[in-house]
Amino acid sequence: MHLKLVSIGTAFALCCLLPLDVYASPPLPQEKPLPGLGSSQFIEGVDVPAIKPATLPEGPLAGPDDGGRKASAGETSTPATCDIPGATFEQLTPMQVQGDQDDEDCGIAVPVNLSGLRGEDAEVTFPMKATLSCGFATSLTAWVIEDVLPIAQAQFGKPVSEFLTGPGYQCRRRNNLPDGKLSEHALGKAIDIVAFRLSDGTEISVEKDWARNTQSGSFLSAIHKAACKRFTTVLGPDADPNHRSHFHLDIGCHGKSCNYIICQ
């Protein structure tokens, strides 16, 4: 009897000396973070599934700087003149930033510094002047004058007076990655819009007012829908976490035939 108790006690002691992980459940796999979820408020994210449209977007998508070829060595050319009815802007000298070796170049052949727009009954200013290509500024002007201003007047009974935006032109790659395709911002063909300010000072924030059952929420939904008929890329808070705070608009080419539209 005494020997049996000793054996049991010994077995119990050995058991308790074993490492605890022998009895633990198998470890759960480590969670992997979702890629590309940056914290910057101006991060482009066009790498989302494309939607093939029945037709190309309505409205002007091209200007004197969109398309064509670069001048060869020793060849001179006269910069095209940008004409955008309804827009207040300063035309800048052509911009070009040399890429690395076989890389693409940043730059704009016919750049403008957009500071405001004039509708029939309203004027809109851009507190941060946006540097854009003439072609993209033409599309943006048409959207604001023909869509945004009338929708605001119908929704609020007063016009939009300010657009709170990013700078437009930025020489960088998509999603701020070190390699890959150039962002449309690097060609002056994109802008990020954070908020709108009405003539009475009321501010409509994309981040705070999107998808709310309010006048501001309805306004944002309506102008987002209208933008999808003007631009080839329209991204808002429903697109991905990188766009929770702003609308991204661009006229980039998607697909081999350039007739894909990304509208999210």
Side-chain angles (χ1 to χ4, degrees):
M1 182 70 177
H2 178 69
L3 291 175
K4 184 178 293 186
L5 290 175
V6 171
S7 299
I8 295 173
T10 302
F12 180 78
L14 290 173
C15 169
C16 294
L17 291 175
L18 290 175
L20 291 177
D21 58 4
V22 171
Y23 306 98
S25 300
L28 295 174
Q30 185 177 2
E31 292 185 2
K32 295 181 179 180
L34 292 174
L37 302 187
S39 58
S40 171
Q41 114 166 275
F42 296 112
I43 295 180
E44 182 186 13
V46 300
D47 298 321
V48 293
I51 302 172
K52 183 179 290 186
T55 60
L56 285 172
E58 298 174 3
L61 287 177
D65 59 316
D66 297 313
R69 62 180 182 86
K70 296 180 181 178
S72 59
E75 182 181 356
T76 60
S77 59
T78 302
T81 299
C82 184
D83 180 22
I84 312 175
T88 302
F89 64 90
E90 175 190 3
Q91 183 166 341
L92 307 175
T93 58
M95 304 164 58
Q96 185 172 358
V97 178
Q98 190 69 39
D100 299 331
Q101 296 179 350
D102 296 331
D103 202 0
E104 296 178 272
D105 298 337
C106 297
I108 311 173
V110 187
V112 299
N113 221 7
L114 185 66
S115 57
L117 303 171
R118 300 182 306 276
E120 289 186 4
D121 302 311
E123 290 189 9
V124 181
T125 62
F126 290 72
M128 176 182 283
K129 294 180 181 179
T131 301
L132 307 167
S133 75
C134 180
F136 180 76
T138 300
S139 296
L140 183 66
T141 299
W143 175 63
V144 174
I145 292 177
E146 298 175 21
D147 297 329
V148 177
L149 293 182
I151 291 171
Q153 190 65 43
Q155 192 74 35
F156 304 107
K158 53 181 68 72
V160 172
S161 63
E162 291 182 64
F163 270 52
L164 306 182
T165 72
Y169 174 76
Q170 292 176 310
C171 185
R172 62 176 175 81
R173 303 185 186 282
R174 292 181 181 180
N175 296 321
N176 282 330
L177 295 175
D179 54 16
K181 293 183 178 181
L182 282 179
S183 164
E184 293 302 321
H185 285 286
L187 304 174
K189 298 180 181 181
I191 197 168
D192 295 322
I193 303 172
V194 177
F196 306 84
R197 193 168 285 141
L198 301 180
S199 58
D200 65 354
T202 300
E203 186 169 302
I204 303 167
S205 165
V206 173
E207 183 171 22
K208 295 177 181 178
D209 294 310
W210 178 258
R212 293 182 62 189
N213 188 23
T214 60
Q215 282 186 313
S216 296
S218 176
F219 167 75
L220 291 176
S221 177
I223 64 173
H224 179 280
K225 182 177 180 180
C228 292
K229 299 179 181 180
R230 302 274 184 184
F231 305 94
T232 54
T233 307
V234 179
L235 299 173
D238 288 345
D240 57 51
N242 287 333
H243 295 87
R244 64 183 179 276
S245 64
H246 64 279
F247 288 159
H248 167 90
L249 313 176
D250 75 49
I251 55 171
C253 172
H254 305 305
K256 294 181 179 179
S257 58
C258 295
N259 65 350
Y260 282 10
I261 297 174
I262 297 174
C263 177
Q264 296 186 346

